Amino acid sequence: MKLKILFLVFLFAYSSFIVHGQPTAAKEKLARTQWFRDARFGMFIHFGIYSMHGRGEWVRSIEKISNEQYQPYVDAFNPTEYNPKEWAKLAKEAGMKYVVMTTKHHDGFCLFDSKLTDYKSTNTPIKRDLIKEYVEAFRAEGIRIGFYYSLLDWHHPDYPKFNDSNHPMRGNEKFKDEKINFDNYLKYMHGQVRELMSNYGKIDILWTDFSYGEMTGTKWKAKELVEMIHQLQPAIIMNNRLGGDGTTYIKDQAYGDFESPEQGVPDAKLSDKDNIDVPWETCLTLNNSWGYNMHDNNWKSPELIIQTLVNCVSKNGNLLLNVGPDPKGNIPQASIQILKEVGKWTRANGESIYGCGEAIGLTRQDWGRFTQKGNKLYAHYMYPKIGPITLKNYQEKIKTVRMLANGAEASVADEWWGSPKSAGLYFINFNKPIHETYPMPDKIDTVFEIELK
Ligand code: GLC
């Protein structure tokens, strides 16, 4: 009897852990991020006053530019060629399914018509709520909408300066004994997020940036902030940059739905301590700058972008690819060219990206990557290799192998170099005759769709 009671107590405790504990929270995040994990590819946009300097969005901090020195640029801000409809068309052409744009970057300048400040685009010569236009333009193309919002603010009087590690006025004696009321800033910051969550219809992603040192989690009053956000936008998903309070295991997931590695792709998929998948998104620049940088012509090739996208998807991740429009509001030609090339590939091979994720049991290959969606496996042949590719223990499972872009059937070899198929190896032979080697039809990534029985 005692044992029975003990067992029941244990069962109750365990089931309430499953309901209220980490595994449930992690599974809820997976459910909430379903559309995001299917979308896989998005556009990041960094645009603001700093675009006028042409030296990237950190120019104020790096060059220790004061508010007064920055003001003439604010007074002159006039991106007359700002036309987010064109950007939205370009994103669509590239195969991007969602977008995230800076509503306010670290410099504190707002591209939206905030009632809480005068420091905004409606008060400059352009006189327009640029965020409103952005939302309408991308929504019209069926692209999901995201807002980037900077937690840092180098313009607000109540943001720490002298001792802050990033502020343009760090170490400046003038601010050494300045008294600030950080709660005022928090009120302002929460208020602006409330505006963004209230005035632009359904928002799909809130992308806050970033936490550092003590400026993380509770310091931002993150719990209250997230509660308010969820109240106003129940379906929204958030990155992890509000930070945690040291309570979480996979970096800082306390207040977010997905991890946000920057300028790099993790070696493997991300999972938590309970082995549940963690959604993630690599954000990446096309050159080496987020905001417009006229000196940075270090453009990545379309090949590298496509291979990076495939690399992300093969590990259950997304790619958020950045453009930095110039002061007039034009996306640089070099970026447009790359995105168009990427678009040619995604148009022909999108089925191997959208709704796809890791191919279980088939990790990195020396010739490329696998992705999978249901009973379709996709072999991404990206790196030159001599001879056929092999799949172990797939012999009985494969129905057809076709080139995804045009449906042409790939030949299968019975044996190669003395290894017969019966040894459990299945040879997909891209070269015919088998002992000759030809370049792949798509030099960037030839995708073979392998339909499983
Ligand atoms: C960093 C930078 C910021 C940029 C962001 C994009 O946090 O501070 O300028 O917007 O990365 O991920």
Side-chain angles (χ1 to χ4, degrees), residues 295-328:
H295 310 280
D296 180 358
N297 288 307
N298 222 339
W299 301 102
K300 295 176 181 68
S301 65
E303 285 88 330
L304 185 56
I305 298 300
I306 290 163
Q307 289 165 354
T308 303
L309 174 62
V310 172
N311 191 12
C312 289
V313 177
S314 76
K315 297 168 187 165
N316 285 338
N318 286 25
L319 180 65
L320 183 66
L321 194 57
N322 184 73
V323 294
D326 68 19
K328 286 196 175 166

PDB file of all heavy atoms in Angstrom, residues 295-328:
ATOM      1  N   HIS A 295      33.163  51.624 -47.668  1.00  0.00           N
ATOM      2  CA  HIS A 295      34.546  51.155 -47.786  1.00  0.00           C
ATOM      3  C   HIS A 295      34.641  49.631 -47.832  1.00  0.00           C
ATOM      4  O   HIS A 295      35.706  49.085 -48.069  1.00  0.00           O
ATOM      5  CB  HIS A 295      35.364  51.662 -46.586  1.00  0.00           C
ATOM      6  CG  HIS A 295      35.200  53.125 -46.364  1.00  0.00           C
ATOM      7  ND1 HIS A 295      35.886  54.059 -47.107  1.00  0.00           N
ATOM      8  CD2 HIS A 295      34.406  53.822 -45.522  1.00  0.00           C
ATOM      9  CE1 HIS A 295      35.518  55.276 -46.715  1.00  0.00           C
ATOM     10  NE2 HIS A 295      34.616  55.158 -45.755  1.00  0.00           N
ATOM     11  N   ASP A 296      33.548  48.973 -47.560  1.00  0.00           N
ATOM     12  CA  ASP A 296      33.577  47.517 -47.414  1.00  0.00           C
ATOM     13  C   ASP A 296      33.026  46.847 -48.673  1.00  0.00           C
ATOM     14  O   ASP A 296      31.815  46.750 -48.865  1.00  0.00           O
ATOM     15  CB  ASP A 296      32.738  47.137 -46.182  1.00  0.00           C
ATOM     16  CG  ASP A 296      32.708  45.636 -45.948  1.00  0.00           C
ATOM     17  OD1 ASP A 296      33.300  44.881 -46.766  1.00  0.00           O
ATOM     18  OD2 ASP A 296      32.101  45.215 -44.946  1.00  0.00           O
ATOM     19  N   ASN A 297      33.944  46.419 -49.530  1.00  0.00           N
ATOM     20  CA  ASN A 297      33.517  45.722 -50.745  1.00  0.00           C
ATOM     21  C   ASN A 297      33.874  44.252 -50.713  1.00  0.00           C
ATOM     22  O   ASN A 297      34.107  43.618 -51.735  1.00  0.00           O
ATOM     23  CB  ASN A 297      34.124  46.402 -51.976  1.00  0.00           C
ATOM     24  CG  ASN A 297      33.455  47.738 -52.229  1.00  0.00           C
ATOM     25  OD1 ASN A 297      32.232  47.806 -52.313  1.00  0.00           O
ATOM     26  ND2 ASN A 297      34.246  48.797 -52.301  1.00  0.00           N
ATOM     27  N   ASN A 298      33.929  43.736 -49.515  1.00  0.00           N
ATOM     28  CA  ASN A 298      34.311  42.350 -49.320  1.00  0.00           C
ATOM     29  C   ASN A 298      33.090  41.441 -49.441  1.00  0.00           C
ATOM     30  O   ASN A 298      32.681  40.794 -48.477  1.00  0.00           O
ATOM     31  CB  ASN A 298      34.903  42.229 -47.911  1.00  0.00           C
ATOM     32  CG  ASN A 298      36.128  41.355 -47.925  1.00  0.00           C
ATOM     33  OD1 ASN A 298      36.308  40.564 -48.849  1.00  0.00           O
ATOM     34  ND2 ASN A 298      36.945  41.475 -46.911  1.00  0.00           N
ATOM     35  N   TRP A 299      32.502  41.427 -50.613  1.00  0.00           N
ATOM     36  CA  TRP A 299      31.226  40.715 -50.804  1.00  0.00           C
ATOM     37  C   TRP A 299      31.421  39.208 -50.831  1.00  0.00           C
ATOM     38  O   TRP A 299      32.360  38.715 -51.442  1.00  0.00           O
ATOM     39  CB  TRP A 299      30.538  41.181 -52.093  1.00  0.00           C
ATOM     40  CG  TRP A 299      30.274  42.645 -52.087  1.00  0.00           C
ATOM     41  CD1 TRP A 299      30.993  43.612 -52.746  1.00  0.00           C
ATOM     42  CD2 TRP A 299      29.252  43.335 -51.353  1.00  0.00           C
ATOM     43  NE1 TRP A 299      30.465  44.857 -52.465  1.00  0.00           N
ATOM     44  CE2 TRP A 299      29.402  44.716 -51.623  1.00  0.00           C
ATOM     45  CE3 TRP A 299      28.228  42.917 -50.509  1.00  0.00           C
ATOM     46  CZ2 TRP A 299      28.567  45.684 -51.073  1.00  0.00           C
ATOM     47  CZ3 TRP A 299      27.389  43.877 -49.957  1.00  0.00           C
ATOM     48  CH2 TRP A 299      27.570  45.243 -50.244  1.00  0.00           C
ATOM     49  N   LYS A 300      30.517  38.519 -50.208  1.00  0.00           N
ATOM     50  CA  LYS A 300      30.524  37.051 -50.272  1.00  0.00           C
ATOM     51  C   LYS A 300      29.954  36.636 -51.623  1.00  0.00           C
ATOM     52  O   LYS A 300      29.142  37.339 -52.216  1.00  0.00           O
ATOM     53  CB  LYS A 300      29.681  36.474 -49.140  1.00  0.00           C
ATOM     54  CG  LYS A 300      30.279  36.781 -47.771  1.00  0.00           C
ATOM     55  CD  LYS A 300      29.412  36.301 -46.635  1.00  0.00           C
ATOM     56  CE  LYS A 300      30.027  36.641 -45.292  1.00  0.00           C
ATOM     57  NZ  LYS A 300      30.060  38.109 -45.007  1.00  0.00           N
ATOM     58  N   SER A 301      30.373  35.465 -52.091  1.00  0.00           N
ATOM     59  CA  SER A 301      29.869  34.998 -53.386  1.00  0.00           C
ATOM     60  C   SER A 301      28.483  34.388 -53.207  1.00  0.00           C
ATOM     61  O   SER A 301      28.144  33.914 -52.115  1.00  0.00           O
ATOM     62  CB  SER A 301      30.821  33.957 -53.958  1.00  0.00           C
ATOM     63  OG  SER A 301      30.809  32.821 -53.115  1.00  0.00           O
ATOM     64  N   PRO A 302      27.673  34.384 -54.278  1.00  0.00           N
ATOM     65  CA  PRO A 302      26.384  33.680 -54.205  1.00  0.00           C
ATOM     66  C   PRO A 302      26.574  32.213 -53.800  1.00  0.00           C
ATOM     67  O   PRO A 302      25.770  31.665 -53.060  1.00  0.00           O
ATOM     68  CB  PRO A 302      25.841  33.781 -55.638  1.00  0.00           C
ATOM     69  CG  PRO A 302      26.568  34.923 -56.258  1.00  0.00           C
ATOM     70  CD  PRO A 302      27.893  35.026 -55.582  1.00  0.00           C
ATOM     71  N   GLU A 303      27.661  31.600 -54.275  1.00  0.00           N
ATOM     72  CA  GLU A 303      27.954  30.203 -53.909  1.00  0.00           C
ATOM     73  C   GLU A 303      28.021  30.052 -52.396  1.00  0.00           C
ATOM     74  O   GLU A 303      27.398  29.159 -51.817  1.00  0.00           O
ATOM     75  CB  GLU A 303      29.333  29.757 -54.458  1.00  0.00           C
ATOM     76  CG  GLU A 303      29.399  29.479 -55.923  1.00  0.00           C
ATOM     77  CD  GLU A 303      29.725  30.731 -56.726  1.00  0.00           C
ATOM     78  OE1 GLU A 303      29.354  31.851 -56.298  1.00  0.00           O
ATOM     79  OE2 GLU A 303      30.335  30.600 -57.795  1.00  0.00           O
ATOM     80  N   LEU A 304      28.794  30.944 -51.779  1.00  0.00           N
ATOM     81  CA  LEU A 304      28.997  30.844 -50.332  1.00  0.00           C
ATOM     82  C   LEU A 304      27.672  31.038 -49.586  1.00  0.00           C
ATOM     83  O   LEU A 304      27.390  30.370 -48.598  1.00  0.00           O
ATOM     84  CB  LEU A 304      30.040  31.867 -49.867  1.00  0.00           C
ATOM     85  CG  LEU A 304      30.438  31.814 -48.395  1.00  0.00           C
ATOM     86  CD1 LEU A 304      30.940  30.425 -48.014  1.00  0.00           C
ATOM     87  CD2 LEU A 304      31.516  32.847 -48.090  1.00  0.00           C
ATOM     88  N   ILE A 305      26.849  31.937 -50.102  1.00  0.00           N
ATOM     89  CA  ILE A 305      25.549  32.188 -49.455  1.00  0.00           C
ATOM     90  C   ILE A 305      24.652  30.947 -49.574  1.00  0.00           C
ATOM     91  O   ILE A 305      24.044  30.514 -48.597  1.00  0.00           O
ATOM     92  CB  ILE A 305      24.857  33.424 -50.088  1.00  0.00           C
ATOM     93  CG1 ILE A 305      25.707  34.688 -49.889  1.00  0.00           C
ATOM     94  CG2 ILE A 305      23.452  33.599 -49.521  1.00  0.00           C
ATOM     95  CD1 ILE A 305      25.981  35.075 -48.460  1.00  0.00           C
ATOM     96  N   ILE A 306      24.587  30.379 -50.767  1.00  0.00           N
ATOM     97  CA  ILE A 306      23.727  29.198 -50.966  1.00  0.00           C
ATOM     98  C   ILE A 306      24.235  28.032 -50.109  1.00  0.00           C
ATOM     99  O   ILE A 306      23.466  27.353 -49.432  1.00  0.00           O
ATOM    100  CB  ILE A 306      23.685  28.815 -52.465  1.00  0.00           C
ATOM    101  CG1 ILE A 306      22.896  29.882 -53.231  1.00  0.00           C
ATOM    102  CG2 ILE A 306      23.059  27.436 -52.661  1.00  0.00           C
ATOM    103  CD1 ILE A 306      23.111  29.870 -54.721  1.00  0.00           C
ATOM    104  N   GLN A 307      25.549  27.839 -50.129  1.00  0.00           N
ATOM    105  CA  GLN A 307      26.103  26.740 -49.331  1.00  0.00           C
ATOM    106  C   GLN A 307      25.868  26.966 -47.845  1.00  0.00           C
ATOM    107  O   GLN A 307      25.627  26.021 -47.083  1.00  0.00           O
ATOM    108  CB  GLN A 307      27.599  26.571 -49.653  1.00  0.00           C
ATOM    109  CG  GLN A 307      27.767  25.991 -51.062  1.00  0.00           C
ATOM    110  CD  GLN A 307      29.177  26.124 -51.619  1.00  0.00           C
ATOM    111  OE1 GLN A 307      30.049  26.745 -51.013  1.00  0.00           O
ATOM    112  NE2 GLN A 307      29.390  25.542 -52.789  1.00  0.00           N
ATOM    113  N   THR A 308      25.897  28.223 -47.422  1.00  0.00           N
ATOM    114  CA  THR A 308      25.642  28.522 -46.013  1.00  0.00           C
ATOM    115  C   THR A 308      24.178  28.275 -45.662  1.00  0.00           C
ATOM    116  O   THR A 308      23.868  27.718 -44.601  1.00  0.00           O
ATOM    117  CB  THR A 308      26.024  29.989 -45.710  1.00  0.00           C
ATOM    118  OG1 THR A 308      27.394  30.176 -46.067  1.00  0.00           O
ATOM    119  CG2 THR A 308      25.848  30.322 -44.248  1.00  0.00           C
ATOM    120  N   LEU A 309      23.290  28.648 -46.567  1.00  0.00           N
ATOM    121  CA  LEU A 309      21.859  28.385 -46.345  1.00  0.00           C
ATOM    122  C   LEU A 309      21.621  26.880 -46.181  1.00  0.00           C
ATOM    123  O   LEU A 309      20.958  26.428 -45.244  1.00  0.00           O
ATOM    124  CB  LEU A 309      21.045  28.955 -47.516  1.00  0.00           C
ATOM    125  CG  LEU A 309      19.547  28.655 -47.534  1.00  0.00           C
ATOM    126  CD1 LEU A 309      18.848  29.261 -46.313  1.00  0.00           C
ATOM    127  CD2 LEU A 309      18.897  29.186 -48.819  1.00  0.00           C
ATOM    128  N   VAL A 310      22.191  26.105 -47.091  1.00  0.00           N
ATOM    129  CA  VAL A 310      22.028  24.640 -47.037  1.00  0.00           C
ATOM    130  C   VAL A 310      22.643  24.091 -45.742  1.00  0.00           C
ATOM    131  O   VAL A 310      22.048  23.253 -45.060  1.00  0.00           O
ATOM    132  CB  VAL A 310      22.697  23.983 -48.263  1.00  0.00           C
ATOM    133  CG1 VAL A 310      22.718  22.462 -48.125  1.00  0.00           C
ATOM    134  CG2 VAL A 310      21.977  24.398 -49.545  1.00  0.00           C
ATOM    135  N   ASN A 311      23.807  24.601 -45.407  1.00  0.00           N
ATOM    136  CA  ASN A 311      24.478  24.182 -44.174  1.00  0.00           C
ATOM    137  C   ASN A 311      23.576  24.423 -42.960  1.00  0.00           C
ATOM    138  O   ASN A 311      23.417  23.550 -42.102  1.00  0.00           O
ATOM    139  CB  ASN A 311      25.797  24.962 -44.052  1.00  0.00           C
ATOM    140  CG  ASN A 311      26.693  24.435 -42.956  1.00  0.00           C
ATOM    141  OD1 ASN A 311      26.459  23.357 -42.411  1.00  0.00           O
ATOM    142  ND2 ASN A 311      27.717  25.192 -42.616  1.00  0.00           N
ATOM    143  N   CYS A 312      22.949  25.601 -42.902  1.00  0.00           N
ATOM    144  CA  CYS A 312      22.035  25.910 -41.792  1.00  0.00           C
ATOM    145  C   CYS A 312      20.869  24.921 -41.770  1.00  0.00           C
ATOM    146  O   CYS A 312      20.568  24.319 -40.737  1.00  0.00           O
ATOM    147  CB  CYS A 312      21.483  27.335 -41.912  1.00  0.00           C
ATOM    148  SG  CYS A 312      22.706  28.628 -41.585  1.00  0.00           S
ATOM    149  N   VAL A 313      20.214  24.763 -42.913  1.00  0.00           N
ATOM    150  CA  VAL A 313      19.007  23.919 -42.947  1.00  0.00           C
ATOM    151  C   VAL A 313      19.350  22.476 -42.565  1.00  0.00           C
ATOM    152  O   VAL A 313      18.588  21.810 -41.859  1.00  0.00           O
ATOM    153  CB  VAL A 313      18.336  23.982 -44.336  1.00  0.00           C
ATOM    154  CG1 VAL A 313      17.128  23.059 -44.389  1.00  0.00           C
ATOM    155  CG2 VAL A 313      17.905  25.411 -44.650  1.00  0.00           C
ATOM    156  N   SER A 314      20.527  22.009 -42.993  1.00  0.00           N
ATOM    157  CA  SER A 314      20.917  20.622 -42.693  1.00  0.00           C
ATOM    158  C   SER A 314      21.127  20.411 -41.192  1.00  0.00           C
ATOM    159  O   SER A 314      21.221  19.286 -40.728  1.00  0.00           O
ATOM    160  CB  SER A 314      22.192  20.247 -43.450  1.00  0.00           C
ATOM    161  OG  SER A 314      23.327  20.832 -42.828  1.00  0.00           O
ATOM    162  N   LYS A 315      21.191  21.512 -40.439  1.00  0.00           N
ATOM    163  CA  LYS A 315      21.348  21.416 -38.981  1.00  0.00           C
ATOM    164  C   LYS A 315      20.155  22.053 -38.273  1.00  0.00           C
ATOM    165  O   LYS A 315      20.271  22.539 -37.156  1.00  0.00           O
ATOM    166  CB  LYS A 315      22.644  22.125 -38.568  1.00  0.00           C
ATOM    167  CG  LYS A 315      23.896  21.485 -39.137  1.00  0.00           C
ATOM    168  CD  LYS A 315      25.096  22.400 -38.946  1.00  0.00           C
ATOM    169  CE  LYS A 315      26.309  21.840 -39.670  1.00  0.00           C
ATOM    170  NZ  LYS A 315      27.362  22.882 -39.790  1.00  0.00           N
ATOM    171  N   ASN A 316      19.025  22.075 -38.957  1.00  0.00           N
ATOM    172  CA  ASN A 316      17.772  22.593 -38.387  1.00  0.00           C
ATOM    173  C   ASN A 316      17.796  24.096 -38.102  1.00  0.00           C
ATOM    174  O   ASN A 316      17.096  24.565 -37.195  1.00  0.00           O
ATOM    175  CB  ASN A 316      17.397  21.865 -37.090  1.00  0.00           C
ATOM    176  CG  ASN A 316      16.853  20.479 -37.361  1.00  0.00           C
ATOM    177  OD1 ASN A 316      16.378  20.217 -38.457  1.00  0.00           O
ATOM    178  ND2 ASN A 316      16.923  19.605 -36.383  1.00  0.00           N
ATOM    179  N   GLY A 317      18.600  24.834 -38.848  1.00  0.00           N
ATOM    180  CA  GLY A 317      18.696  26.269 -38.578  1.00  0.00           C
ATOM    181  C   GLY A 317      18.204  27.123 -39.740  1.00  0.00           C
ATOM    182  O   GLY A 317      17.907  26.632 -40.830  1.00  0.00           O
ATOM    183  N   ASN A 318      18.114  28.429 -39.471  1.00  0.00           N
ATOM    184  CA  ASN A 318      17.684  29.422 -40.467  1.00  0.00           C
ATOM    185  C   ASN A 318      18.861  30.320 -40.834  1.00  0.00           C
ATOM    186  O   ASN A 318      19.850  30.401 -40.100  1.00  0.00           O
ATOM    187  CB  ASN A 318      16.605  30.329 -39.886  1.00  0.00           C
ATOM    188  CG  ASN A 318      15.263  29.642 -39.766  1.00  0.00           C
ATOM    189  OD1 ASN A 318      15.188  28.418 -39.662  1.00  0.00           O
ATOM    190  ND2 ASN A 318      14.206  30.427 -39.758  1.00  0.00           N
ATOM    191  N   LEU A 319      18.690  31.055 -41.935  1.00  0.00           N
ATOM    192  CA  LEU A 319      19.673  32.078 -42.312  1.00  0.00           C
ATOM    193  C   LEU A 319      18.956  33.416 -42.483  1.00  0.00           C
ATOM    194  O   LEU A 319      17.992  33.526 -43.238  1.00  0.00           O
ATOM    195  CB  LEU A 319      20.368  31.690 -43.620  1.00  0.00           C
ATOM    196  CG  LEU A 319      21.422  32.685 -44.115  1.00  0.00           C
ATOM    197  CD1 LEU A 319      22.609  32.779 -43.148  1.00  0.00           C
ATOM    198  CD2 LEU A 319      21.936  32.308 -45.500  1.00  0.00           C
ATOM    199  N   LEU A 320      19.440  34.416 -41.739  1.00  0.00           N
ATOM    200  CA  LEU A 320      18.914  35.780 -41.854  1.00  0.00           C
ATOM    201  C   LEU A 320      20.017  36.615 -42.492  1.00  0.00           C
ATOM    202  O   LEU A 320      21.041  36.893 -41.869  1.00  0.00           O
ATOM    203  CB  LEU A 320      18.553  36.317 -40.468  1.00  0.00           C
ATOM    204  CG  LEU A 320      17.912  37.710 -40.418  1.00  0.00           C
ATOM    205  CD1 LEU A 320      16.534  37.704 -41.069  1.00  0.00           C
ATOM    206  CD2 LEU A 320      17.791  38.193 -38.972  1.00  0.00           C
ATOM    207  N   LEU A 321      19.802  36.990 -43.741  1.00  0.00           N
ATOM    208  CA  LEU A 321      20.859  37.583 -44.550  1.00  0.00           C
ATOM    209  C   LEU A 321      20.665  39.088 -44.665  1.00  0.00           C
ATOM    210  O   LEU A 321      19.589  39.545 -45.037  1.00  0.00           O
ATOM    211  CB  LEU A 321      20.807  36.923 -45.935  1.00  0.00           C
ATOM    212  CG  LEU A 321      21.979  37.114 -46.864  1.00  0.00           C
ATOM    213  CD1 LEU A 321      23.280  36.647 -46.240  1.00  0.00           C
ATOM    214  CD2 LEU A 321      21.724  36.352 -48.165  1.00  0.00           C
ATOM    215  N   ASN A 322      21.725  39.831 -44.373  1.00  0.00           N
ATOM    216  CA  ASN A 322      21.589  41.287 -44.209  1.00  0.00           C
ATOM    217  C   ASN A 322      21.830  42.107 -45.475  1.00  0.00           C
ATOM    218  O   ASN A 322      22.708  41.786 -46.282  1.00  0.00           O
ATOM    219  CB  ASN A 322      22.580  41.753 -43.142  1.00  0.00           C
ATOM    220  CG  ASN A 322      22.443  43.237 -42.847  1.00  0.00           C
ATOM    221  OD1 ASN A 322      21.470  43.650 -42.217  1.00  0.00           O
ATOM    222  ND2 ASN A 322      23.396  44.040 -43.316  1.00  0.00           N
ATOM    223  N   VAL A 323      21.051  43.189 -45.596  1.00  0.00           N
ATOM    224  CA  VAL A 323      21.375  44.247 -46.557  1.00  0.00           C
ATOM    225  C   VAL A 323      21.438  45.572 -45.804  1.00  0.00           C
ATOM    226  O   VAL A 323      20.721  45.770 -44.827  1.00  0.00           O
ATOM    227  CB  VAL A 323      20.334  44.355 -47.704  1.00  0.00           C
ATOM    228  CG1 VAL A 323      20.347  43.125 -48.584  1.00  0.00           C
ATOM    229  CG2 VAL A 323      18.926  44.605 -47.158  1.00  0.00           C
ATOM    230  N   GLY A 324      22.321  46.452 -46.253  1.00  0.00           N
ATOM    231  CA  GLY A 324      22.459  47.768 -45.628  1.00  0.00           C
ATOM    232  C   GLY A 324      22.242  48.844 -46.674  1.00  0.00           C
ATOM    233  O   GLY A 324      23.184  49.242 -47.379  1.00  0.00           O
ATOM    234  N   PRO A 325      20.999  49.329 -46.824  1.00  0.00           N
ATOM    235  CA  PRO A 325      20.711  50.358 -47.840  1.00  0.00           C
ATOM    236  C   PRO A 325      21.542  51.628 -47.623  1.00  0.00           C
ATOM    237  O   PRO A 325      21.907  51.961 -46.495  1.00  0.00           O
ATOM    238  CB  PRO A 325      19.221  50.643 -47.644  1.00  0.00           C
ATOM    239  CG  PRO A 325      18.683  49.436 -46.960  1.00  0.00           C
ATOM    240  CD  PRO A 325      19.787  48.929 -46.101  1.00  0.00           C
ATOM    241  N   ASP A 326      21.811  52.338 -48.726  1.00  0.00           N
ATOM    242  CA  ASP A 326      22.640  53.553 -48.675  1.00  0.00           C
ATOM    243  C   ASP A 326      21.792  54.761 -48.215  1.00  0.00           C
ATOM    244  O   ASP A 326      20.582  54.630 -48.016  1.00  0.00           O
ATOM    245  CB  ASP A 326      23.336  53.771 -50.033  1.00  0.00           C
ATOM    246  CG  ASP A 326      22.359  54.135 -51.150  1.00  0.00           C
ATOM    247  OD1 ASP A 326      21.219  54.567 -50.858  1.00  0.00           O
ATOM    248  OD2 ASP A 326      22.730  53.987 -52.327  1.00  0.00           O
ATOM    249  N   PRO A 327      22.403  55.934 -48.054  1.00  0.00           N
ATOM    250  CA  PRO A 327      21.676  57.082 -47.485  1.00  0.00           C
ATOM    251  C   PRO A 327      20.413  57.465 -48.262  1.00  0.00           C
ATOM    252  O   PRO A 327      19.455  57.973 -47.689  1.00  0.00           O
ATOM    253  CB  PRO A 327      22.699  58.216 -47.550  1.00  0.00           C
ATOM    254  CG  PRO A 327      24.019  57.560 -47.588  1.00  0.00           C
ATOM    255  CD  PRO A 327      23.834  56.246 -48.258  1.00  0.00           C
ATOM    256  N   LYS A 328      20.402  57.223 -49.558  1.00  0.00           N
ATOM    257  CA  LYS A 328      19.183  57.557 -50.323  1.00  0.00           C
ATOM    258  C   LYS A 328      18.106  56.503 -50.149  1.00  0.00           C
ATOM    259  O   LYS A 328      16.960  56.716 -50.525  1.00  0.00           O
ATOM    260  CB  LYS A 328      19.536  57.707 -51.797  1.00  0.00           C
ATOM    261  CG  LYS A 328      20.269  59.004 -52.083  1.00  0.00           C
ATOM    262  CD  LYS A 328      20.273  59.307 -53.559  1.00  0.00           C
ATOM    263  CE  LYS A 328      20.893  60.671 -53.816  1.00  0.00           C
ATOM    264  NZ  LYS A 328      21.210  60.870 -55.236  1.00  0.00           N
TER     265      LYS A 328
END
